[in-house]
Amino acid sequence: MAGLGSDQRGHRAGKEPAMEETIDEKIGRLKLTEAESKKLVIDDREEGAPPSWSLAGKVLSRKVFHINTISEILRPAWGNPKGLLFLDGGPNMFVAKFATERGRERVWERSPWTVSNKACILENFVDCQRPAEIRFDKLLIWVRVLNLPFNLLNSTWGDRIAKEISDDVVRVDVNKQGLTSGGFLRARVWIKVDVPLRRCIAIDSSRRESCDWYELEYEGLPYFCFACGLIGHADIFCPNPGERDELGRWPYSPSLRAPDDVKAKSQYSRAWNNNMGFRDEQATEKAEYGPRAPPPTQGARGGMGGGNGRGRGGGRNREGPINVQAYRRLEM
């Protein structure tokens, strides 16, 4: 049962399908009894069944999280969509069932997600799949290329640069004029979690007449190993650590994480860059999650009013005035 043990360790996402082959090979070598050789034939097709929208997930961690813990963390992070149901799929694995396709797409588009800062890999799922058949080997994430020359900050060069970073590029974040904003190139890509994180890219420019290195950053990057660059374990548990430099530093560092203060820099990513306007997002969100609570109204003398027409804004707030603009920012 060595294959089952390696699955439970969970360091290398994407290794589970090998367990499927091992089981078939093992059964093939056995001399089955008459009862074991008998097949159960079923027709489990459900004609006219309502559509189902689900995602399979796995937390990349040595620690095994209970399904209730995963649910308590992800449910509010996902906005508590109506009808969301979590099903246990095994150690650190789960299936999330959504009541609407929109609810599932919201979660899918806003990846990456974390559970206690550990990577939570999501995959499309159909309920006739077995857990061992689901490959949790890729993470959808925003990557940035820093300090690029201005002539490369556009969709034409951005697409070529992004394809050098990842074989699977979803889109490059540009405006209607095909230009980037924020002073760096930003691309939505799939990265393999069983391959070390890429730290930089070299571009040999004919116009600059030089080959220059450019650093990479990842938005919302979960915990990863500073010793080998893999997502899913810490350097203290690394089976294949790299060498430290003369100052004792590991090959990878927290500088690969994009700073939080500029994560939401692009107005084009506000509606998740899925060709859907922000107004459409708000309308659907209202229908799916209910109306947002109205912000408190400002009284005539700075107190918080309840709109009851009592002249001074409906009375003062006992805890002091509330900053309405800050309230609205939190509401967004």
Side-chain angles (χ1 to χ4, degrees):
M1 300 301 289
L4 293 176
S6 62
D7 176 53
Q8 292 176 352
R9 285 195 297 270
H11 289 326
R12 296 289 195 269
K15 297 297 184 183
E16 290 83 350
M19 183 179 66
E20 172 78 18
E21 297 177 358
T22 302
I23 292 176
D24 289 343
E25 292 173 356
K26 181 178 180 180
I27 297 298
R29 291 193 296 268
L30 296 177
K31 184 177 181 180
L32 302 180
T33 66
E34 182 178 352
E36 291 172 334
S37 302
K38 186 178 179 180
K39 297 179 181 179
L40 173 63
V41 180
I42 62 173
D43 185 359
D44 53 353
R45 294 172 296 181
E46 300 179 5
E47 298 294 340
S52 175
W53 296 281
S54 303
L55 290 173
K58 182 170 184 178
V59 182
L60 300 186
S61 173
R62 291 174 57 90
K63 176 183 177 181
V64 177
F65 289 88
H66 193 276
I67 185 63
N68 290 344
T69 303
I70 296 174
S71 173
E72 290 171 0
I73 294 175
L74 292 181
R75 186 182 296 275
W78 291 354
N80 197 24
K82 180 174 61 179
L84 177 62
L85 178 64
F86 284 89
L87 303 177
D88 193 351
N92 283 346
M93 290 180 58
F94 63 92
V95 172
K97 290 194 172 185
F98 298 84
T100 65
E101 183 179 12
R102 177 73 170 187
R104 183 189 65 178
E105 292 307 310
R106 285 169 59 93
V107 171
W108 181 262
E109 287 291 335
R110 294 183 178 185
S111 177
W113 300 99
T114 59
V115 173
S116 296
N117 293 318
K118 308 298 192 301
C120 180
I121 309 296
L122 298 179
E123 283 292 338
N124 285 313
F125 170 79
V126 289
D127 57 8
C128 64
Q129 285 182 284
R130 293 192 286 182
E133 294 174 339
I134 308 173
R135 296 183 61 86
F136 297 101
D137 60 350
K138 295 189 301 181
L139 180 67
L140 184 60
I141 198 168
W142 285 103
V143 62
R144 302 174 181 177
V145 186
L146 306 182
N147 200 31
L148 280 174
F150 285 100
N151 67 311
L152 302 184
L153 295 175
N154 53 64
S155 58
T156 302
W157 291 112
D159 188 62
R160 290 192 59 182
I161 294 172
K163 288 180 179 179
E164 181 65 25
I165 298 172
S166 170
D167 296 332
D168 193 349
V169 178
V170 178
R171 54 184 170 270
V172 176
D173 186 20
V174 294
N175 59 20
K176 294 180 179 179
Q177 290 73 40
L179 303 176
T180 67
S181 58
F184 49 80
L185 178 67
R186 185 170 182 259
R188 186 76 158 162
V189 301
W190 286 97
I191 59 173
K192 296 180 179 180
V193 297
D194 56 356
V195 174
L197 290 166
R198 184 162 183 166
R199 295 164 288 185
C200 55
I201 181 174
I203 299 179
D204 191 348
S205 169
S206 299
R207 190 169 178 180
R208 288 177 55 85
E209 298 182 349
S210 65
C211 181
D212 302 302
W213 292 96
Y214 299 93
E215 293 181 297
L216 304 184
E217 289 181 346
Y218 301 85
E219 297 181 11
L221 182 62
Y223 276 178
F224 65 96
C225 179
F226 295 163
C228 70
L230 290 178
I231 297 174
H233 65 268
D235 55 280
I236 193 172
F237 301 111
C238 185
N240 299 299
E243 295 183 359
R244 296 178 182 266
D245 63 13
E246 61 276 6
L247 298 179
R249 296 173 299 192
W250 286 119
Y252 296 81
S253 73
S255 63
L256 286 175
R257 290 194 179 98
D260 292 336
D261 56 342
V262 289
K263 272 185 184 177
K265 60 92 189 172
S266 173
Q267 70 246 33
Y268 310 103
S269 64
R270 199 175 184 185
W272 334 306
N273 288 319
N274 60 350
N275 297 322
M276 306 181 75
F278 189 56
R279 293 182 179 179
D280 294 337
E281 175 194 349
Q282 288 181 320
T284 304
E285 183 180 87
K286 182 176 181 181
E288 190 170 321
Y289 297 87
R292 293 175 174 174
T297 56
Q298 182 79 27
R301 297 183 61 182
M304 301 312 299
N308 56 8
R310 293 196 295 176
R312 297 178 71 172
R316 293 178 180 271
N317 185 288
R318 293 183 180 180
E319 299 179 359
I322 297 176
N323 188 318
V324 177
Q325 292 181 348
Y327 183 96
R328 287 172 177 163
R329 284 198 299 269
L330 289 173
E331 195 181 35
M332 295 300 290

